[in-house]
Amino acid sequence: MQKRILNTLTSEEERVILHKGTEAPGTGEYEHFTRDGVYLCRHCNAPLYDSKDKFDAHCGWPAFDDEIPEAIQKTTDADGQRIEITCASCGAHLGHVFLGEQLTEKNTRHCVNSLSMRFIPREQTSKEDQNIVLGGGCFWCLDASYRMIEGVLKTEVGYAGGTSPNPTYEKVCTGNTHHAEVVRITYDPRKVSFSDILTVFFAVHDPTTPDRQGNDVGTQYRSAVFYSTWAQKEEAEKFILKISQEKIFSAPIITEVLPLVQFFPAEEYHQDYYAKNPSQGYCQVIINPKLKKLREHYSQLLR
């Protein structure tokens, strides 16, 4: 089971999510939002609503006439008049549900605060770069590996998945921020598929060791896929299921598949570290064997 990390909230988000407040009508970013995708809990990232169930209720807040199964907890308010809806995973306050208004065929309106949710698009639009953020041990290794792949346009190492708003390498190394060392990969899907990106990912790190890659130990070295679209989430989960069934690894795969909340670029001296320090001991002993494996077994994917 993946660890559930609660996201850091602003004071206004805390007022709504933790203290059961309500944002002013007509002010929420998702009231008239129509993009196809999935709405997650802003506090814990659990999926709450699918955009196909969203409708314009002209009430001042986002409205849905259905929920993702088992995502929502419903409780009668203390005054006995309304039904509060909360995230079933973490208890975050979402809003209220109203029945019998005849606004849709389902005759239900979930009236939800925009501040309680985070939107993940179903797909990236054709005008957007294709990006994925991956964590698989020391980010120097992943960065060097993907710089070899045909179709990869850019890589940038950084931090993701934690709770600190301003992570630094020193802070992340303590394990207290819960950030993972990651690489953000920008790629051309006409030249390299997302499946190929995942193939390289699982080839150059061990996805079966919790919070560890070889002698590198700590939560910052955990295996994780941080998705930016729902399609990436579904494909990553299918890929992991496939290689698990094929028993590619002798132990269970523990890779986390999580939404990307925020990516923080690492310090400049970490960027393209292998090219800058090819003779450094870590590069010789740890990174070189990974690159050799790519050349020997995945030459069709290389530049």
Side-chain angles (χ1 to χ4, degrees), residues 6 20 29 63 82 158 160 226 245 267:
L6 298 179
K20 304 185 184 299
E29 64 175 314
R82 297 188 301 173
F226 293 97
Q245 292 174 337
E267 297 81 349

Side-chain angles (χ1 to χ4, degrees), residues 50-172:
D50 193 295
S51 63
K52 65 181 177 60
D53 298 314
K54 191 174 186 291
F55 69 99
D56 193 347
H58 306 286
C59 62
W61 294 272
F64 303 84
D65 66 358
D66 208 347
E67 70 228 47
I68 290 175
E70 302 181 355
I72 306 298
Q73 182 74 37
K74 300 168 186 174
T75 309
T76 303
D77 272 352
D79 61 11
Q81 300 299 310
R82 297 188 301 173
I83 300 174
E84 181 192 8
I85 47 177
T86 55
C87 171
S89 295
C90 72
H93 174 73
L94 305 176
H96 291 83
V97 62
F98 301 91
L99 307 175
E101 297 176 323
Q102 304 298 325
L103 295 176
T104 71
E105 290 184 1
K106 295 182 180 178
N107 209 16
T108 299
R109 174 171 62 97
H110 289 242
C111 185
V112 188
N113 292 290
S114 290
L115 285 174
S116 296
M117 301 183 293
R118 184 186 313 281
F119 177 77
I120 295 289
R122 190 94 56 196
E123 304 271 3
Q124 288 179 310
T125 68
S126 58
K127 294 182 180 180
E128 293 176 335
D129 290 331
Q130 301 294 298
N131 295 297
I132 188 64
V133 172
L134 303 173
C138 175
F139 48 21
W140 300 339
C141 299
L142 282 184
D143 181 60
S145 298
Y146 281 105
R147 287 176 180 269
M148 296 175 60
I149 305 302
E150 176 67 27
V152 170
L153 305 176
K154 179 183 177 182
T155 64
E156 184 176 21
V157 299
Y159 315 107
T163 55
S164 172
N166 297 296
T168 64
Y169 186 68
E170 289 71 22
K171 291 179 181 178
V172 170

Side-chain angles (χ1 to χ4, degrees), residues 186-299:
T186 303
Y187 65 97
D188 183 347
R190 296 169 299 181
K191 296 181 179 180
V192 59
S193 69
F194 185 51
S195 179
D196 289 335
I197 295 289
L198 292 175
T199 295
V200 172
F201 177 60
F202 285 101
V204 297
H205 89 291
D206 184 351
T208 69
T209 51
D211 300 337
R212 180 172 189 158
Q213 286 295 304
N215 293 325
D216 292 331
V217 180
T219 57
Q220 69 270 31
Y221 300 117
R222 67 190 186 275
S223 177
V225 175
F226 293 97
Y227 60 86
S228 297
T229 70
W230 200 249
Q232 287 180 343
K233 172 187 182 293
E234 293 180 328
E235 186 168 351
E237 290 176 340
K238 289 178 181 177
F239 190 95
I240 291 171
L241 178 61
K242 179 177 180 291
I243 61 176
S244 295
Q245 292 174 337
E246 294 173 350
K247 299 189 183 301
I248 302 298
F249 298 94
S250 58
I253 294 173
I254 48 78
T255 302
E256 299 175 344
V257 180
L258 302 167
L260 178 66
V261 175
Q262 191 169 3
F263 171 85
F264 297 92
E267 297 81 349
E268 179 57 33
Y269 72 92
H270 289 297
Q271 308 297 335
D272 201 9
Y273 187 88
Y274 177 77
K276 297 174 182 175
N277 305 276
S279 300
Q280 198 255 18
Y282 189 93
C283 296
Q284 290 287 317
V285 176
I286 304 299
I287 301 180
N288 276 346
K290 294 177 185 289
L291 304 186
K292 180 181 179 183
K293 182 179 182 180
L294 287 179
R295 295 188 188 98
E296 292 177 348
H297 299 285
Y298 301 95
S299 60

